[in-house]
Structures are given as C-alpha cells and as structure tokens.
Amino acid sequence: MSTTHRSHTAGPRQQPQRASAPPGGPLALDRAAQDLLFRAARTANAFTDEPVGDEQVAAIHDLVRYAPTAYNGQPLRLLLVRSPGARDRLLPHLSSGNRAKTARAPLVVLAAADLDFHERLPELYPHRPQARDWLADPASRAAQARFNAALQIGFLLVGVRAAGLAAGPMAGFDAAGVTREFFPDGRHEALLVINVGRPGPQAWGERLPRLRTEEVIREI
C-alpha cells in the first residue's frame, strides 16, 4: 500500500512578535502603578471626610473577585458599616486604640468568612459536582474558609489602593463579639475590620523597615 504525500506551498513564516521591554523594568507595571499599589501605599490611620461611594466599592470588587481560592470557593463576605447606628454598635468591640479612627473613617468594612461557602460549589466549581461533599466536615471547612478568605483580603487591600484610596486593616477587635453582633446567623466569622478612605493629614508615621530579598527568599 503506497502513501501519497501532498506538497503544500508554505507562505512566509510569521516571526513571533518580540515584546518591548516593560517601562517598569522586569515588572509589567510601570513605575507609577508599582508605587500606587505597593511602594507608596501605606496603612492609613487618618482619613479625609471624602465619602467612599458604592460605585467605587463595586469597581474595587470587580478587580479583587479574581483572587485565587481553593475550589474557586470565594468564601470572603464583606459588610459595609455606613450608618451611625451600626458604627456605634461596632466601636465597643474594638480595642481602645482603634475606636477613634474607626469612628471618623468614611467607610468601615467588616471582612468575614462564609463557613458554609461549600453550598455554592455546584455553581462555582461545576466540573466537580462532588466537591461540595469533600467539605462536609465543619472544622475542615472552617479552616478552608478562613485561609481562602484571607487570600481574598490581601487582594482586597491592593484593590483599595488601585482606587486611589487607603486601607487601615485592624485585627485589634473582639472577633467573637463582632461575629455575634453583625453575623448572628452562625454562618459567618469576622476576620478583619478595615477602614477605607482617602488618607488625611498625618495618616501614618515613618515607614518601618522591610526584610531584604536575601532574608526572605532562598532556593534548594
């Protein structure tokens, strides 16, 4: 049995386009974006009176919802504390050093983990219908919820910076008390209180030292 080979006329070979060097050097972001998101960004302790609107919040979330989470579970839930009454309910649960700045912040966000996030997995992880059953154990599921919500919170802080705002994340609060007060359904667990707004005068002190690359990274 013979095999017939057909000849094809080849056109000019397309050379892969060589990307120009990014303006930020080895990073894809230019220097201004690098500074906005990282180097010049600070944890703010004082804010102006300029409000943080719902449109800004939605734009921030549209960025940070792409954070990686196990099983695409996305357990982070955010409660915006806007009303004076809600703010008054929150303040007693904060450490004394965090109350005044939280009372004056344009927006306060309660970041919580949805401990029953697995209920959404048939929708969010549809190619593994059994994934919901993998997380049947409440203790294991709670650990997954806290860890992955923390990953999302990291993205949230960068997203706030991308909006030209500053964030003041605080762990100095009674987490159990905030959970009881604002998440009484037993399904959510408060993880962090975050003040958000435009930084005001004397919003921060001197930049504290950071570890050098060689102190953090090694290889084997």
Side-chain angles (χ1 to χ4, degrees):
M1 179 177 176
S2 62
T3 303
T4 303
H5 297 278
R6 296 185 179 180
S7 62
H8 299 273
T9 303
R13 178 172 295 180
Q14 296 294 322
Q15 296 294 329
Q17 292 186 345
R18 188 180 301 276
S20 59
L27 302 174
L29 295 175
D30 64 28
R31 183 77 186 198
Q34 295 171 30
D35 289 343
L36 175 68
L37 299 179
F38 300 101
R39 295 189 191 92
R42 303 289 298 277
T43 294
N45 293 308
F47 302 89
T48 70
D49 294 332
E50 182 177 340
V52 178
D54 291 341
E55 185 177 1
Q56 284 177 297
V57 172
I60 292 167
H61 180 255
D62 189 55
L63 292 177
V64 306
R65 65 196 182 113
Y66 297 104
T69 54
Y71 312 113
N72 196 36
Q74 306 169 56
L76 180 64
R77 302 292 181 266
L78 303 176
L79 181 63
L80 308 184
V81 182
R82 291 198 184 278
S83 70
R87 195 76 61 98
D88 289 343
R89 288 165 51 203
L90 174 63
L91 294 180
H93 297 288
L94 305 182
S95 63
S96 58
N98 288 332
R99 290 173 189 163
K101 58 187 175 183
T102 302
R104 295 191 294 267
L107 176 64
V108 181
V109 179
L110 302 185
D114 182 354
L115 303 181
D116 288 336
F117 72 94
H118 68 313
E119 299 286 358
R120 300 292 300 273
L121 290 184
E123 170 193 353
L124 300 175
Y125 207 59
H127 58 292
R128 292 288 187 272
Q130 68 274 34
R132 182 184 180 279
D133 298 331
W134 297 344
L135 295 163
D137 176 62
S140 174
R141 187 170 68 246
Q144 285 273 2
R146 296 184 195 104
F147 178 79
N148 287 283
L151 287 177
Q152 291 181 277
I153 289 171
F155 271 68
L156 174 64
L157 299 180
V158 176
V160 168
R161 297 170 177 182
L165 304 173
M170 300 175 295
F173 68 99
D174 176 6
V178 170
T179 297
R180 287 192 301 270
E181 182 71 31
F182 292 93
F183 305 102
D185 58 4
R187 176 176 178 140
H188 300 86
E189 182 178 311
L191 299 180
L192 199 66
V193 179
I194 309 170
N195 294 332
V196 178
R198 295 205 179 273
Q202 299 179 330
W204 42 68
E206 292 295 322
R207 170 79 80 181
L208 294 174
R210 292 300 193 268
L211 295 175
R212 299 186 304 274
T213 300
E214 60 269 23
E215 295 178 286
V216 174
I217 300 174
R218 65 188 184 94
E219 63 179 73
I220 55 173

